[in-house]
Amino acid sequence: AAQASPSSTSYRGVTVSGATGQEPVVLIGDETETTSSIQVQDVVAGSGPVATASTKVAVQYVARVAKTKKTFDSSWDRGEPFAYDPGSVTFSAFVDGVPGMQVGGRRIVIVPGALAFGATPPPNTGLRPDETVVFVIDLVQVG
């Protein structure tokens, strides 16, 4: 069982530390890029309600480029969680990475480029075509 505030968890070259409820410290190793399918690893299990593929949720997340290790998106920077209905999002980090999480949980989601932004990443993100991205997602609320 995961602790409430683990010192650090490493998975496929991604190391995450820090207490839940605060922005995580994320370190990305050079080996992280090699995945060809979405990779999901719990850092903290959580103990609240479970997110399903059909429940509305609110998450805090930080998203980084695997190669440059730079953050390109973060709900923490905006100062509020990202709330969404699973039917309204298509991005695999949220569609495939969040179901099964429990409120209070933190998860590493590594998304290969083909399942992330593919050949046409959003402008001004620093992402190159087909670039692997790493999300660290905290489940804040279900329903």
Side-chain angles (χ1 to χ4, degrees):
Q3 304 162 10
S5 55
S7 54
S8 141
T9 297
S10 293
Y11 176 70
R12 294 184 73 103
V14 178
T15 302
V16 176
S17 58
T20 54
Q22 297 175 355
E23 185 170 358
V25 176
V26 182
L27 301 171
I28 299 174
D30 293 338
E31 67 274 27
T32 303
E33 280 198 278
T34 57
T35 183
S36 59
S37 61
I38 192 165
Q39 303 293 319
V40 177
Q41 174 67 43
D42 283 327
V43 177
V44 175
S47 57
V50 177
T52 69
S54 60
T55 46
K56 186 174 181 187
V57 296
V59 297
Q60 287 276 33
Y61 68 91
V62 60
R64 292 205 176 152
V65 182
K67 187 167 187 70
T68 64
K69 304 164 184 41
K70 288 186 166 53
T71 298
F72 68 88
D73 190 14
S74 171
S75 63
W76 297 98
D77 289 349
R78 290 192 292 277
E80 62 182 16
F82 171 50
Y84 65 94
D85 183 314
S88 69
V89 297
T90 57
F91 195 72
S92 60
F94 300 117
V95 174
D96 303 318
V98 172
M101 287 184 78
Q102 288 182 269
V103 170
R106 172 171 283 173
R107 185 173 273 182
I108 297 168
V109 182
I110 303 171
V111 186
L115 298 175
F117 298 104
T120 54
N124 306 317
T125 56
L127 284 160
R128 294 190 306 272
D130 297 314
E131 195 147 48
T132 297
V133 294
V134 175
F135 280 74
V136 177
I137 299 173
D138 289 16
L139 183 59
V140 178
Q141 187 179 338
V142 169

